[in-house]
Amino acid sequence: MRSIRQSLEQLTIAYQLIRWTIIIIPLSIVVGSLVALFLWLLELVTQYRYHHQWLLYILPIAGIGIYFIYKLFGKNSEAGNNLIMDEIHEPGGGVPARMTPLVLLTTIVTHLFGGSAGREGTAVQIGGSMAQLLARWMRLKPADIRILLMTGIAAGFGAVFGTPLTGAVFALEVLAIGVIRYDALIPCLIAAVFADYVCCAWGIHHTHYQILFHDPQHFDPLLLAKVIICGVAFGLAGFAFSSCMHNIKKYAKQYIRPAWLIPVAGGIIIILLCRVLGTYDYTGLGVTSADPAGISIINTFKGGYIPTWAWLWKLLFTAITLGMGFKGGEVTPLFFIGATLGYTLAVLLGAPVDLFAGLGFIAVFAGATNTPIACTLMGIELFGTEHALYFAVACFTAYYFSGHAGIYSAQRTEVPKK
């Protein structure tokens, strides 16, 4: 009887896998295609802004446009990633399909006019809103909708960065601190892999990062000690970013009236900061810069000149941009903050610059999102397996020292950090 029950259980599992694959493939095709469109447009407007830096001076006016677009058409879409996470925790009004065109348009506008923002938030919102739309068409049950929303997060994240394994685990890990639910494990992996494949099939090429440092010992106690010290700093940087962004958003709403003046003030501050610093390198994504020798994520790995406080300036630029009403993600700016901070610390500690730029790249992200496992896997997917131990140590240390605050207010605390 036991063997019969086990056979029936395996048949049930096989049925569920086939069922979810049939549901997820159409979602992955749509999300992968929309993310490809988004990345293509993002590269287009970024290059255009590089050649027309005067566009920055229109940023306050662009902010007014973004405010009224969401005021007139957004409804609850403005909550962004937090709305998707809330719907997974406690299903309510659902994630509106209008979230996709709204966030795509407003993120492109933010980048065109020089706001400092990322791309992960846009991709995740595309995935979540398309997942909700498909669930509505298929009349799925609440339990299935929850899983489908998680696959939407995985598909969007995996496609936008070209890291499907990270995307799958991120969707499972980001919902609550200290807990990973395995009920959506395979669906999330399927969604992330297919969406990434579709995105690449459209001709999208993701940025290639390379750590050239080779450790012949494979375990250097002194180097490991330096990684731990930097992991603490990376966690504190993640905490500083999330706290700064949330406080800017809170006090801007409290003290700036009427509300449409908030993005105007944010745009003016960004312009003034660029004038004071004499550079535009802290605007936009920060993966590259208009000047090939400028301050960028790419140049931290190449050992180019990076100012000591570059990480702090990017932190402020991004917290102001996102905290005062502009749209986009937080993750790529977190990569910039981490890579430049890692570069600075490597110089101070006499450590390999490219390795520590890579560690900061993933560890500040781990601290700000409370997703150390996903970020360790991202290090492996982006940089290879040679330094996996250092990736894990940096991410886990950053996770503990970032506290319970994070960039997502809808993230719950299931198991407190001790």
Side-chain angles (χ1 to χ4, degrees):
M1 289 297 294
R2 178 179 296 180
S3 61
I4 294 175
R5 283 198 301 271
Q6 289 177 343
S7 298
L8 291 175
E9 181 182 8
Q10 290 165 350
L11 286 173
T12 302
I13 292 171
Y15 164 76
Q16 289 296 334
L17 287 176
I18 294 170
R19 172 176 176 266
W20 276 113
T21 302
I22 293 171
I23 293 172
I24 289 168
I25 286 179
L27 174 65
S28 300
I29 292 172
V30 172
V31 173
S33 299
L34 288 171
V35 169
L37 172 64
F38 167 59
L39 291 176
W40 177 75
L41 290 172
L42 188 57
E43 178 63 20
L44 204 65
V45 299
T46 298
Q47 293 300 322
Y48 189 81
R49 179 173 51 81
Y50 283 168
H51 294 93
H52 303 84
Q53 296 286 12
W54 56 266
L55 287 169
L56 177 67
Y57 296 94
I58 308 178
L59 184 61
I61 299 173
I64 296 175
I66 291 172
Y67 171 82
F68 282 105
I69 285 173
Y70 273 92
K71 180 77 172 177
L72 296 173
F73 308 109
K75 292 188 177 180
N76 57 345
S77 297
E78 193 169 10
N81 292 359
N82 289 306
L83 175 62
I84 299 170
M85 293 169 69
D86 281 334
E87 284 295 321
I88 294 172
H89 290 307
E90 295 179 10
V95 181
R98 71 183 68 192
M99 179 181 280
T100 289
L102 287 175
V103 74
L104 200 157
L105 171 64
T106 54
T107 301
I108 293 299
V109 169
T110 296
H111 282 276
L112 176 61
F113 295 104
S116 176
R119 49 196 173 183
E120 145 275 339
T122 304
V124 167
Q125 290 176 54
I126 288 172
S129 60
M130 291 298 98
Q132 181 74 67
L133 181 63
L134 179 61
R136 192 176 301 120
W137 286 348
M138 298 186 68
R139 302 177 184 274
L140 296 180
K141 296 181 291 186
D144 289 340
I145 293 174
R146 176 183 176 276
I147 291 177
L148 198 62
L149 285 173
M150 294 171 70
T151 65
I153 293 175
F157 193 99
V160 80
F161 293 120
T163 54
L165 183 57
T166 304
V169 177
F170 177 82
L172 301 170
E173 191 178 17
V174 74
L175 299 174
I177 296 174
V179 172
I180 296 179
R181 293 285 298 272
Y182 287 94
D183 52 346
L185 181 63
I186 297 298
C188 284
L189 182 61
I190 294 170
V193 169
F194 272 94
D196 177 50
Y197 177 81
V198 170
C199 185
C200 292
W202 282 106
I204 298 299
H205 300 287
H206 298 285
T207 306
H208 178 67
Y209 304 99
Q210 189 174 16
I211 296 175
L212 296 176
F213 170 74
H214 173 66
D215 181 10
Q217 302 179 53
H218 298 293
F219 178 78
D220 182 345
L222 179 59
L223 183 59
L224 183 63
K226 294 177 181 179
V227 171
I228 294 171
I229 293 169
C230 290
V232 175
F234 296 147
L236 295 175
F239 170 78
F241 174 79
S242 57
S243 298
C244 186
M245 184 178 67
H246 292 316
N247 283 324
I248 286 174
K249 184 179 295 186
K250 173 185 173 182
Y251 290 115
K253 288 182 178 179
Q254 186 174 344
Y255 292 111
I256 300 178
R257 292 284 189 272
W260 60 266
L261 283 176
I262 295 175
V264 174
I268 292 172
I269 294 171
I270 295 295
I271 293 169
L272 292 175
L273 285 173
C274 287
R275 296 289 293 181
V276 169
L277 297 172
T279 180
Y280 297 101
D281 286 348
Y282 300 113
T283 61
L285 275 177
V287 175
T288 59
S289 65
D291 178 3
I295 308 165
S296 67
I297 298 174
I298 287 289
N299 284 341
T300 61
F301 289 89
K302 294 180 178 179
Y305 170 70
I306 304 295
T308 302
W309 299 105
W311 63 274
L312 181 59
W313 289 119
K314 186 63 174 179
L315 187 154
L316 291 174
F317 270 74
T318 308
I320 291 166
T321 298
L322 299 179
M324 300 189 78
F326 294 92
K327 299 301 175 183
E330 300 91 348
V331 172
T332 305
L334 286 169
F335 293 161
F336 184 111
I337 295 165
T340 51
L341 178 57
Y343 178 103
T344 297
L345 293 173
V347 172
L348 291 174
L349 295 173
V353 167
D354 55 349
L355 173 61
F356 277 65
L359 294 176
F361 184 106
I362 56 175
V364 172
F365 172 33
T369 59
N370 296 298
T371 56
I373 298 175
C375 293
T376 301
L377 293 174
M378 173 171 271
I380 292 170
E381 285 192 290
L382 291 178
F383 308 124
T385 60
E386 181 179 357
H387 306 296
L389 172 64
Y390 299 133
F391 298 156
V393 170
C395 289
F396 292 0
T397 304
Y399 165 76
Y400 277 104
F401 279 88
S402 66
H404 292 87
I407 59 175
Y408 305 123
S409 58
Q411 188 178 57
R412 298 184 175 183
T413 301
E414 296 290 343
V415 180
K417 302 175 187 179
K418 297 178 181 178

